Coordinates of all heavy atoms in Angstrom, one line a residue:
Y68 N 2.3 -10.3 4.0 CA 3.5 -9.4 4.1 C 3.0 -7.9 4.3 O 2.0 -7.5 3.9 CB 4.3 -9.5 2.9 CG 5.1 -10.8 2.8 CD1 4.6 -11.9 2.1 CD2 6.4 -10.9 3.3 CE1 5.3 -13.1 2.0 CE2 7.1 -12.0 3.2 CZ 6.6 -13.1 2.5 OH 7.3 -14.3 2.5
T69 N 3.9 -7.2 4.9 CA 3.9 -5.8 4.9 C 5.3 -5.3 4.7 O 6.2 -6.1 4.5 CB 3.3 -5.2 6.3 OG1 3.1 -3.8 6.1 CG2 4.3 -5.4 7.4
Y70 N 5.5 -4.0 4.7 CA 6.8 -3.4 4.5 C 7.3 -2.7 5.8 O 6.5 -2.0 6.4 CB 6.9 -2.4 3.4 CG 7.0 -3.1 2.0 CD1 5.8 -3.5 1.3 CD2 8.2 -3.5 1.5 CE1 5.9 -4.1 0.1 CE2 8.3 -4.1 0.3 CZ 7.1 -4.5 -0.4 OH 7.2 -5.1 -1.6
F71 N 8.5 -3.0 6.2 CA 9.1 -2.3 7.3 C 10.1 -1.3 6.6 O 10.5 -1.5 5.4 CB 9.9 -3.2 8.2 CG 9.1 -4.0 9.2 CD1 7.7 -3.9 9.2 CD2 9.7 -4.8 10.1 CE1 6.9 -4.6 10.1 CE2 8.9 -5.5 11.0 CZ 7.5 -5.4 11.0
F72 N 10.5 -0.2 7.3 CA 11.3 0.8 6.8 C 12.5 1.1 7.7 O 12.4 1.0 8.9 CB 10.5 2.1 6.6 CG 9.3 2.0 5.8 CD1 8.1 1.6 6.3 CD2 9.4 2.2 4.4 CE1 7.0 1.4 5.5 CE2 8.3 2.1 3.6 CZ 7.1 1.7 4.1
N73 N 13.6 1.5 7.0 CA 14.8 2.0 7.8 C 14.9 3.5 7.4 O 15.2 3.9 6.3 CB 16.1 1.3 7.3 CG 16.1 -0.1 7.9 OD1 15.8 -0.3 9.0 ND2 16.5 -1.1 7.0
L74 N 14.6 4.3 8.4 CA 14.6 5.8 8.3 C 16.1 6.2 8.3 O 16.8 6.0 9.2 CB 13.8 6.4 9.4 CG 13.6 7.9 9.3 CD1 12.9 8.3 8.0 CD2 12.8 8.3 10.5
D75 N 16.4 7.0 7.2 CA 17.8 7.5 7.1 C 17.9 8.9 7.6 O 18.7 9.3 8.4 CB 18.3 7.3 5.6 CG 19.7 7.8 5.4 OD1 20.6 7.4 6.2 OD2 19.8 8.7 4.6
T76 N 17.0 9.8 7.0 CA 17.1 11.2 7.2 C 15.7 11.8 7.4 O 14.8 11.4 6.7 CB 17.8 11.9 6.1 OG1 19.1 11.2 5.8 CG2 18.1 13.3 6.3
V77 N 15.6 12.8 8.2 CA 14.4 13.7 8.3 C 14.9 15.1 8.1 O 15.7 15.6 8.9 CB 13.7 13.6 9.6 CG1 12.5 14.5 9.6 CG2 13.2 12.1 9.8
I78 N 14.3 15.8 7.1 CA 14.7 17.2 6.8 C 13.4 18.0 7.1 O 12.3 17.5 6.7 CB 15.1 17.4 5.4 CG1 16.4 16.6 5.1 CG2 15.4 18.9 5.1 CD1 16.7 16.4 3.7
H79 N 13.5 19.1 7.7 CA 12.3 19.9 8.0 C 12.5 21.4 8.0 O 13.7 21.8 8.2 CB 11.7 19.5 9.4 CG 12.6 19.8 10.5 ND1 12.7 21.1 11.1 CD2 13.6 19.1 11.1 CE1 13.6 21.1 12.1 NE2 14.2 19.9 12.1
S80 N 11.5 22.2 7.7 CA 11.6 23.6 7.9 C 11.5 24.0 9.3 O 11.1 23.1 10.2 CB 10.5 24.3 7.0 OG 9.2 23.9 7.4
V81 N 11.7 25.2 9.7 CA 11.7 25.7 11.1 C 10.9 26.9 11.3 O 11.3 27.9 11.8 CB 13.2 25.9 11.6 CG1 14.0 24.7 11.7 CG2 13.9 26.9 10.7
N82 N 9.6 26.7 11.0 CA 8.6 27.8 11.3 C 8.1 27.7 12.8 O 8.3 28.6 13.6 CB 7.5 27.8 10.3 CG 8.0 28.1 8.9 OD1 8.8 29.0 8.8 ND2 7.6 27.3 7.9
I83 N 7.5 26.5 13.1 CA 7.1 26.3 14.4 C 7.9 25.1 15.0 O 8.1 25.0 16.2 CB 5.5 26.0 14.6 CG1 5.1 26.0 16.1 CG2 5.1 24.7 13.9 CD1 3.6 26.1 16.3
I84 N 8.3 24.2 14.1 CA 9.2 23.1 14.5 C 10.6 23.6 14.8 O 11.2 24.2 14.0 CB 9.2 22.0 13.5 CG1 7.8 21.3 13.3 CG2 10.2 20.9 13.9 CD1 7.7 20.3 12.2
D85 N 11.1 23.3 16.0 CA 12.5 23.6 16.3 C 13.4 22.5 15.8 O 14.4 22.8 15.2 CB 12.6 23.8 17.8 CG 14.0 24.2 18.2 OD1 14.4 25.4 18.1 OD2 14.8 23.2 18.6
S86 N 13.1 21.3 16.2 CA 13.9 20.2 15.8 C 13.1 18.9 15.8 O 12.1 18.8 16.4 CB 15.1 20.1 16.7 OG 14.7 19.9 18.1
I87 N 13.7 17.9 15.1 CA 13.1 16.5 15.1 C 14.3 15.6 15.4 O 15.3 15.6 14.7 CB 12.4 16.2 13.8 CG1 11.2 17.1 13.5 CG2 12.0 14.7 13.8 CD1 10.6 16.9 12.2
S88 N 14.1 14.7 16.4 CA 15.1 13.7 16.6 C 14.6 12.3 16.2 O 13.4 12.0 16.5 CB 15.5 13.7 18.1 OG 14.5 13.3 18.9
I89 N 15.4 11.5 15.7 CA 15.1 10.2 15.3 C 15.4 9.3 16.5 O 16.6 9.2 16.9 CB 15.8 9.7 14.0 CG1 15.5 10.6 12.8 CG2 15.5 8.2 13.8 CD1 16.3 10.3 11.6
E90 N 14.4 8.7 17.1 CA 14.6 7.9 18.3 C 14.8 6.4 17.9 O 15.5 5.7 18.6 CB 13.4 8.0 19.2 CG 13.2 9.4 19.8 CD 14.4 9.9 20.6 OE1 14.8 9.1 21.5 OE2 14.9 11.0 20.3
K91 N 14.1 6.0 16.9 CA 14.2 4.6 16.4 C 14.1 4.6 14.9 O 13.1 4.9 14.4 CB 13.1 3.7 17.0 CG 13.2 2.3 16.7 CD 12.4 1.4 17.7 CE 12.4 0.0 17.4 NZ 13.7 -0.7 17.3
K92 N 15.2 4.2 14.3 CA 15.2 4.3 12.8 C 14.4 3.2 12.1 O 14.0 3.4 11.0 CB 16.7 4.2 12.3 CG 17.5 5.4 12.6 CD 18.9 5.2 12.1 CE 19.6 6.5 12.2 NZ 20.1 7.1 10.9

């Protein structure tokens, strides 16, 4: 077995990162 994950939310600061989009949860 391994674990799979369901990504709910990504929160980030905005110093060099402008945005993050979730393409596949």
Side-chain angles (χ1 to χ4, degrees):
Y68 286 88
T69 190
Y70 282 90
F71 283 1
F72 301 89
N73 286 318
L74 186 58
D75 180 54
T76 307
V77 178
I78 301 167
H79 63 88
S80 59
V81 288
N82 295 315
I83 193 167
I84 294 175
D85 178 82
S86 60
I87 297 177
S88 68
I89 299 174
E90 297 300 309
K91 185 161 178 58
K92 288 184 172 240

